[in-house]
Amino acid sequence: MKMTLGERVRAATAALMHLTGENQADLATALGISQTQISRRQSGHAAWSLTDCEALATHYGIDALDLLAGPTRACDTLAPHRRRTPAAAAQGTPR
């Protein structure tokens, strides 16, 4: 089954958060919104707007089209220095 655009953005955001070691509170601070707003968007109770998508892409240093393409493309384009280290990943902490 094909993912909707909203599902692709939510999946890409979750994958990027995991890859960078960020949590919802970290992302909320970076985007200047509340953790509750991140949670609502990630749960599908609210939609990520195009402006939000641009802010997400800018935060992660990727193109907005890569974010919209889904988690594989978004993660493939994430710069290596943004990825948490294997040691940090094992401890569950961001770089």
Side-chain angles (χ1 to χ4, degrees):
M1 183 186 336
K2 194 169 185 172
M3 293 174 80
T4 66
L5 182 58
E7 290 168 335
R8 284 196 306 258
V9 172
R10 288 193 302 274
T13 302
L16 289 164
M17 287 171 51
H18 177 75
L19 197 57
T20 60
E22 291 181 325
N23 59 36
Q24 289 184 355
D26 298 328
L27 186 57
T29 299
L31 299 181
I33 60 177
S34 72
Q35 183 274 326
T36 302
Q37 289 173 303
I38 297 290
S39 179
R40 290 183 48 74
R41 286 171 174 90
Q42 282 302 97
S43 67
H45 289 99
W48 287 103
S49 70
L50 289 177
T51 301
D52 293 331
C53 290
E54 288 176 342
L56 278 168
T58 298
H59 171 68
Y60 287 114
I62 65 173
D63 190 274
L65 293 176
D66 293 326
L67 177 73
L68 297 174
T72 301
R73 177 89 154 271
C75 290
D76 285 349
T77 58
L78 184 69
H81 74 274
R82 289 297 314 269
R83 299 165 192 259
R84 62 182 168 174
T85 63
Q91 296 172 6
T93 56
R95 272 176 69 191

